[in-house]
Amino acid sequence: MNPTGLRLRAVLLLCFVSSTACNMFAFTEEPSDRVGKGDGYCSRILRAQSNRREENDDFRLRVEGDPESYQPGNTYRVTVTASRSAYFRGFTLIALKEGAEGDSDEDYAGNFQIIDEEETQFMTNCPPAVTESTPRRRTSIQVFWTAPPSGSGCIYLKASIVQKRIIYFQDEGPLTKRMCEKESLYGNITEKPLLDCCACGTAKYRVTFFGNWSEKIHPKDYPRRANHWSAIIGSSHSKNYVLWEYGGFASDGVKQVAELGSPVKMEEEIRQKGDDVLTVIKMKAQWPAWQPLNVRAAPSAEFSVDRTRHLMSFLTMLGPSPDWNVGLSAEDLCTKECGWAQKVVQDLIPWDAGTDSGVSYESPNKVTEPQDKIRPLTSLDHPQSPFYDPEGGAITPVARVMVERIARKGEQCNIVPDNVDDIVADIAQEEKEEDDTPETCIYSNWSPWSACSSATCDKGKRMRQRMLKAQLDLSVPCPHTQDFEPCMGPGCSDEDASTCMMSEWITWSPCSASCGLGLRSRERYVKQFPEDGSICTMPTEETEDCVVNEECTPSSCLVTEWAEWDLCSATCGLGMKRRERMVKMPPEDGSICGAEVLEVEKCMMPECDTIPCLLSPWSDWSDCSVTCGKGLRTRQRKLKSPVELGDCTEELEQVEKCMLPECPIDCIMSEWTEWSECNKSCGKGHTIRTRMVMMEPQFGGNPCPESIQRKKCKVRKCSRGQSNGDDKKRRKEQRDKRRSKLDGAEITSEHPGCKMRPWSSWTECTKLCGGGIQERLMTVKQRFKTSQLSSCKDRKEIRACNVHPC
């Protein structure tokens, strides 16, 4: 290789150590009017990287959450980290389209964003690349990367690492991350589902919500008081209506659910969509957020879908929280084979509605201005977040939703028909009356059907109940304890074509008065007119008196109507039930609203039978077993029921890991070196010895002591007069003679009978400041027979370096 080529490679390697070196290279190698990305500088870096490949697991490039694919336009946190025992001084990070060489602007994918300008900067002569601001020892860096638009295909995020003079870079392995565009039915934010539904007839589904948000699974800052799921609200709808979606903005209804847990506004928005909505999905709130299924059945609701309204959406709030929710958005129950999905099960993680800027469960209200887009929470959002994980791992799901098909009506047109078992199961769901509960679930008999909720020909519901007396196998879920079916008042029939089919009443409007006596109204609409063409005479609007506060003043607060009572907390015996209402308008004078917003009362269910394995509540967690670092903590519970009633296999003690602040680590030093030779051949001089820092202090450990010591030395007195000058002259001539020899030439030891190799170069200084050491070696090349072992041996010299204070 010619000298110019050698110089080019050397400077390219320096580019990874410092952007300053890159600037020097661009200035000296190219005319000033051609400096920049257009001269192919980035591609020269990539080609320089490809000349050498090192496999090293000490360094890793990671995208938060470790996704296999990217969502176009989404922003991700990218980190480059070193293992605990390693560090790096410089780095380069670049995002390249798959198969591209980096010669043009179109080869680069997405855009980087700098988080810390003191740590990172864009490379001067290669703007798509990110490099260090100052070369120094570091163990990690972070930047944001915004994914390219739809249609960009697969991309590679590539990093190079500089550690002293060694450069690590890889086309595969820990320093390269390959991500492909995520396939989505929706494309970008504003697009609708690409496929129309081709299924025939209608299908009926049951959606069941299993809350998994508990102190055991999500222990960090878990709110022990008032933890709950708000009332669930949703619908089956067409592709022309979107309740909520990632990347969209929350409507007023979504905002009220997200911040207050109120479904009232959301239900009004759904019902205003008319023919775009087939079924409104509603389930009651759950207080507390989690209870075993043998204590409280998972909430469920039924809904229908057809060819035009084949999507299902719902949401519910985690309470308390700023504006965090879970739910499904436009879940398509129509299959590509023109059939109806049999079963959908999804684990749910919380998402942020973009209306409140709180970072923890009980953060004070802080309106987000301007409003942000709806996005999923991540484990790297904020250190105070209950889901925070410095490693960027996935959030543990807080809920699971199961959507099961329970019936179909009308002619089916599946391209791939269901098997016989599925068809029989659908028919049986509609016709059977017998109970098919698992053998491990012990129930009481069903109660008689209640009276119909409608006394007229308006469509209503009736209900029956049964009690869950025991659940012998907790791994097998037990079905619901309540059953509903549609009904009409006496003398009415669904097949009677001479009657009107009315919708359900829409929620009552707010009271017309802010205090005292006022009016409120509600409406409904005609869903089906009589086939004989007659006019519907049933009322479509109702009005009634309402009282906000009989003894109110202009400064009184305005509250909503009471919600319905929750189900009793007990399935048998004595329990509690609750209902709540919200403050719609606080007092004008700024005083505290005195109106009650929560009512709790006792409720009595039928007598309980003795249930085996009755357990006390868990005790509080014990203190961590250590005072710092990683340890263990335990909690216990007791068996309250007699052992002879049945074998109890439930655990009575739990052990989990706990983490306290890291333990202090003191500075660790190496042993002292031997004292060096005196720096004077006669008279007074000094000698030194040094030691190195093996481990820097961490987490408040003891600081490092001195690393260099010196002391006086006196070899012999220097003689006066001419003889002293002759000695100096002779020694100078000997030193000049040794130095005049060429590099690599052989020299002879001062000891007879030995032939020595020349001194090696001095090693790099062990420290940048505060006193380090350098070494060099002279080794024996040949030992003559007449030499003595004690006088013919390898030699080593040590000297101090960088002794200036840090």
Side-chain angles (χ1 to χ4, degrees):
M1 182 178 292
N2 58 42
T4 303
L6 288 172
R7 184 159 59 92
L8 173 63
R9 289 195 62 189
V11 178
L12 280 172
L13 292 177
L14 286 174
C15 287
F16 293 99
V17 180
S18 171
S19 59
T20 304
C22 294
N23 296 338
M24 292 171 57
F25 171 80
F27 179 77
T28 56
E29 291 294 326
E30 299 288 345
S32 59
D33 61 348
R34 296 183 59 194
V35 173
K37 186 174 62 177
D39 66 355
Y41 184 80
C42 294
S43 62
R44 293 213 301 273
I45 292 178
L46 295 170
R47 288 195 294 272
Q49 289 193 37
S50 65
N51 290 334
R52 179 178 180 185
R53 177 174 170 181
E54 299 264 355
E55 294 291 345
N56 191 304
D57 291 332
D58 287 340
F59 309 101
R60 181 183 180 189
L61 182 151
R62 184 175 187 181
V63 179
E64 72 172 89
D66 289 333
E68 296 298 326
S69 57
Y70 66 87
Q71 185 74 39
N74 279 12
T75 299
Y76 301 86
R77 190 187 302 264
V78 179
T79 60
V80 178
T81 58
S83 65
R84 192 162 188 171
S85 60
Y87 66 91
F88 56 93
R89 296 185 180 276
F91 74 94
T92 300
L93 182 61
I94 204 161
L96 200 65
K97 292 182 180 178
E98 189 174 43
E101 297 295 332
D103 295 321
S104 63
D105 292 349
E106 291 75 23
D107 289 351
Y108 300 94
N111 298 289
F112 288 107
Q113 300 172 41
I114 301 300
I115 296 177
D116 187 349
E117 293 183 353
E118 295 183 359
E119 288 286 334
T120 54
Q121 66 178 8
F122 291 105
M123 186 172 283
T124 305
N125 296 90
C126 181
V130 178
T131 187
E132 77 285 347
S133 295
T134 54
R136 65 174 184 82
R137 285 178 60 154
R138 51 173 58 83
T139 57
S140 68
I141 62 98
Q142 292 186 355
V143 296
F144 284 126
W145 176 72
T146 301
S150 180
S152 300
C154 299
I155 62 96
Y156 281 97
L157 288 167
K158 293 186 176 185
S160 62
I161 291 296
V162 181
Q163 188 188 45
K164 291 187 178 180
R165 295 181 178 178
I166 303 173
I167 302 174
Y168 300 101
F169 42 80
Q170 298 165 329
D171 291 331
E172 298 175 356
L175 285 177
T176 292
K177 173 76 173 179
R178 182 178 183 266
M179 297 171 65
C180 294
E181 182 178 345
K182 184 177 182 179
E183 295 183 3
S184 173
L185 289 175
Y186 296 90
N188 58 38
I189 294 170
T190 60
E191 289 184 17
K192 301 299 181 184
L194 300 178
L195 298 177
D196 290 330
C197 179
C198 57
C200 299
T202 63
K204 188 176 182 181
Y205 286 88
R206 178 182 293 116
V207 54
T208 307
F209 182 85
F210 300 93
N212 198 32
W213 178 46
S214 65
E215 186 175 11
K216 178 180 178 181
I217 300 175
H218 305 88
K220 183 180 178 183
D221 300 332
Y222 187 80
R224 295 190 176 184
R225 297 182 180 180
N227 59 80
H228 69 282
W229 293 104
S230 73
I232 295 174
I233 184 70
S235 72
S236 57
H237 57 91
S238 72
K239 64 182 180 180
N240 297 322
Y241 176 44
V242 177
L243 276 75
W244 70 272
E245 64 177 346
Y246 290 132
F249 289 99
S251 66
D252 290 340
V254 172
K255 180 179 178 181
Q256 287 201 11
V257 175
E259 294 186 10
L260 306 176
S262 170
V264 176
K265 184 66 176 178
M266 187 78 250
E267 183 176 353
E268 290 180 3
E269 290 180 355
I270 292 173
R271 294 190 183 279
Q272 289 171 1
K273 292 301 176 180
D275 291 339
D276 284 326
V277 171
L278 182 59
T279 309
V280 178
I281 299 170
K282 298 166 64 176
M283 289 178 260
K284 290 187 177 182
Q286 300 176 72
W287 296 79
W290 184 87
Q291 284 186 1
L293 289 177
N294 61 349
V295 175
R296 182 182 66 199
S300 63
E302 295 179 2
F303 65 94
S304 298
V305 291
D306 60 18
R307 175 177 287 192
T308 59
R309 294 160 292 191
H310 53 94
L311 305 177
M312 175 268 196
S313 303
F314 80 90
L315 70 158
T316 176
M317 178 197 74
L318 289 81
S321 73
D323 58 346
W324 299 343
N325 297 250
V326 299
L328 291 180
S329 175
E331 184 69 30
D332 196 349
L333 298 175
C334 183
T335 67
K336 295 180 181 179
E337 294 77 23
C338 302
W340 298 108
Q342 180 71 37
K343 189 174 184 180
V344 175
V345 179
Q346 280 202 29
D347 290 321
L348 306 176
I349 63 170
W351 48 268
D352 189 315
T355 61
D356 191 300
S357 299
V359 296
S360 61
Y361 289 127
E362 299 180 282
S363 293
N365 290 336
K366 184 179 180 183
V367 178
T368 302
E369 290 288 350
Q371 183 174 333
D372 285 339
K373 295 179 180 180
I374 297 174
R375 65 172 185 86
L377 294 180
T378 73
S379 60
L380 292 172
D381 284 337
H382 195 282
Q384 293 181 7
S385 167
F387 306 106
Y388 180 71
D389 177 9
E391 296 296 324
I395 292 179
T396 303
V398 296
R400 169 174 289 185
V401 63
M402 181 167 62
V403 183
E404 297 177 283
R405 194 184 75 206
I406 57 176
R408 293 175 302 180
K409 292 183 179 180
E411 181 182 355
Q412 302 299 309
C413 53
N414 304 35
I415 297 173
V416 179
D418 292 335
N419 58 47
V420 175
D421 292 338
D422 285 339
I423 297 172
V424 171
D426 276 346
I427 296 173
Q429 285 286 351
E430 291 188 289
E431 297 180 352
K432 70 180 182 180
E433 288 293 331
E434 66 273 14
D435 192 0
D436 61 346
T437 57
E439 295 180 354
T440 56
C441 300
I442 302 175
Y443 287 91
S444 65
N445 293 328
W446 285 107
S447 68
W449 285 104
S450 67
C452 189
S453 61
S454 173
T456 66
C457 290
D458 191 9
K459 193 172 183 179
K461 290 183 179 180
R462 63 177 184 168
M463 180 189 73
R464 62 177 181 173
Q465 290 182 311
R466 60 179 177 178
M467 290 187 301
L468 177 62
K469 300 170 69 175
Q471 185 176 3
L472 305 181
D473 186 355
L474 294 179
S475 64
V476 178
C478 292
H480 54 283
T481 57
Q482 292 183 327
D483 195 13
F484 298 86
E485 72 174 15
C487 61
M488 288 186 176
C492 299
S493 170
D494 285 338
E495 290 74 31
D496 189 353
S498 65
T499 59
C500 296
M501 183 68 70
M502 306 296 292
S503 71
E504 295 182 2
W505 288 104
I506 296 176
T507 307
W508 286 103
S509 67
C511 194
S512 61
S514 59
C515 63
L517 183 64
L519 291 174
R520 64 175 187 170
S521 62
R522 64 177 182 175
E523 297 177 345
R524 61 179 176 178
Y525 57 91
V526 178
K527 294 184 68 175
Q528 179 178 318
F529 288 92
E531 293 181 1
D532 58 8
S534 60
I535 299 175
C536 285
T537 59
M538 302 188 72
T540 59
E541 184 177 1
E542 285 186 348
T543 304
E544 70 174 17
D545 295 336
C546 57
V547 177
V548 176
N549 188 348
E550 293 181 354
E551 300 177 357
C552 64
T553 63
S555 62
S556 297
C557 58
L558 183 63
V559 295
T560 64
E561 292 296 314
W562 287 106
E564 295 181 6
W565 286 102
D566 288 343
L567 294 177
C568 191
S569 62
T571 56
C572 62
L574 183 63
M576 302 293 291
K577 64 179 181 179
R578 58 184 292 158
R579 65 175 182 174
E580 58 180 353
R581 59 181 176 179
M582 296 186 302
V583 176
K584 297 179 66 176
M585 182 182 296
E588 296 177 0
D589 58 5
S591 60
I592 298 175
C593 183
E596 294 290 335
V597 295
L598 177 66
E599 283 189 350
V600 180
E601 70 177 21
K602 296 179 181 178
C603 54
M604 178 61 97
M605 302 296 286
E607 287 292 333
C608 299
D609 294 336
T610 302
I611 300 176
C613 200
L614 185 61
L615 300 168
S616 69
W618 285 106
S619 66
D620 292 334
W621 286 103
S622 66
D623 293 333
C624 200
S625 61
V626 296
T627 57
C628 61
K630 296 180 180 178
L632 297 173
R633 63 176 186 170
T634 60
R635 66 175 182 176
Q636 296 83 25
R637 60 180 175 180
K638 296 180 180 180
L639 179 64
K640 298 174 67 176
S641 57
V643 179
E644 58 270 13
L645 291 180
D647 294 332
C648 183
T649 59
E650 298 295 322
E651 58 181 352
L652 300 179
E653 185 176 51
Q654 289 183 340
V655 180
E656 72 173 13
K657 297 178 181 178
C658 52
M659 184 71 183
L660 294 177
E662 294 285 353
C663 299
I665 299 176
D666 298 334
C667 176
I668 300 178
M669 306 291 291
S670 67
E671 297 293 329
W672 288 104
T673 62
E674 298 293 333
W675 288 101
S676 67
E677 296 179 4
C678 194
N679 67 333
K680 297 289 184 67
S681 60
C682 65
K684 295 181 179 179
H686 68 267
T687 180
I688 64 171
R689 67 174 181 176
T690 60
R691 58 181 175 180
M692 294 188 302
V693 176
M694 305 296 290
M695 179 178 291
E696 298 284 352
Q698 300 180 45
F699 312 116
N702 293 331
C704 295
E706 61 180 352
S707 59
I708 183 169
Q709 288 183 347
R710 66 176 65 200
K711 67 179 181 180
K712 296 179 180 180
C713 58
K714 187 175 182 181
V715 178
R716 58 185 175 81
K717 291 183 177 181
C718 296
S719 58
R720 297 176 179 269
Q722 185 66 33
S723 60
N724 188 27
D726 294 338
D727 290 340
K728 290 183 178 180
K729 183 177 181 181
R730 184 170 59 255
R731 287 195 297 272
K732 183 176 183 304
E733 290 175 353
Q734 291 175 350
R735 286 197 301 270
D736 293 341
K737 184 177 180 180
R738 286 197 298 270
R739 292 174 180 171
S740 65
K741 293 187 177 182
L742 296 174
D743 290 340
E746 297 179 356
I747 65 171
T748 303
S749 168
E750 299 172 1
H751 304 284
C754 289
K755 182 178 288 186
M756 308 294 289
R757 290 187 173 85
W759 285 105
S760 66
S761 300
W762 289 102
T763 62
E764 289 188 1
C765 193
T766 57
K767 297 184 67 175
L768 297 176
C769 58
I773 61 172
Q774 291 177 293
E775 296 180 354
R776 67 174 184 174
L777 296 174
M778 178 189 287
T779 57
V780 175
K781 182 175 183 182
Q782 184 177 1
R783 180 183 291 111
F784 300 117
K785 294 182 179 180
T786 57
S787 65
Q788 298 181 0
L789 292 177
S790 61
S791 62
C792 187
K793 60 183 180 179
D794 295 345
R795 299 181 61 190
K796 179 171 72 172
E797 284 189 353
I798 300 175
R799 70 179 182 186
C801 56
N802 293 341
V803 295
H804 57 280
C806 295

